Amino acid sequence: EAGVAQSPRYKIIEKRQSVAFWCNPISGHATLYWYQQILGQGPKLLIQFQNNGVVDDSQLPKDRFSAERLKGVDSTLKIQPAKLEDSAVYLCASSSTTGRYNEQFFGPGTRLTVL
Amino acid sequence: EDKVVQSPLSLVVHEGDTVTLNCSYEVTNFRSLLWYKQEKKAPTFLFMLTSSGIEKKSGRLSSILDKKELFSILNITATQTGDSAIYLCAVKGNNDMRFGAGTRLTVKP
């Protein structure tokens, strides 16, 4: 079974620039999550989708961050404009709502450096 | 506000030692507690705990949950250098999953 795919793996931008990350979840997984993990901290949930609807985006900085999952499959997370404090690893995860343990499977992440 | 606190933040041991990692939590509408191992980027799932007092075991790793005292422990016996990683505890409420900061375990040969 193919895992969660993310791209790019690394991105370096200057502050005030825009950036977008892409995630393709495991086939058939209805739930998709975006996390931000700052160095030395645990992942922080940014947004959770159930199919193409948003379940929770309470911790998403909506003035600069946006995410979509238009067809209920892959998703993009955008930052516009980026700030220095956005430097982090952005993790995408997916889970099957029918799974016994509702386990989240994580992608390899995208490491963003904002200069 | 929901929170998950892990201790210690870092731990250095030698191969063969036994370690105990702690996770305490405060969350509304608790549903489950999960342990992950993070070596490079993506956390990998270890255990999910929903009931108090029932030990989950996988090889040298085991974990147990106390829903009355609101904590869980992760034990690793006979540690190996390959156990070096960050161990993350996450607690799931109604919707989101909240992670602790993690415990960085270093196992020296």
Side-chain angles (χ1 to χ4, degrees), chain A residues 3-84:
Chain A
V4 177
Q6 288 188 248
S7 68
R9 296 292 301 276
Y10 304 90
K11 188 74 178 178
I12 301 173
I13 61 172
E14 294 187 349
K15 60 182 179 183
R16 291 188 289 273
Q17 285 187 320
S18 300
V19 65
F21 312 128
W22 174 82
C23 172
N24 190 19
I26 291 173
S27 178
H29 280 192
T31 310
L32 185 148
Y33 312 79
W34 282 104
Y35 290 89
Q36 179 194 59
Q37 187 172 22
I38 293 172
L39 187 65
Q41 299 180 18
K44 181 183 85 171
L45 179 69
L46 293 176
I47 189 167
Q48 176 184 344
F49 291 95
Q50 180 76 18
N51 296 307
N52 60 351
V54 175
V55 173
D56 183 0
D57 63 356
S58 57
Q59 297 191 87
L60 186 74
K62 297 180 185 64
D63 57 333
R64 297 183 302 106
F65 286 64
S66 63
E68 59 183 17
R69 193 184 184 201
L70 293 176
K71 296 182 180 179
V73 181
D74 54 351
S75 174
T76 55
L77 175 70
K78 296 179 181 178
I79 308 175
Q80 181 178 8
K83 292 185 176 181
L84 297 177

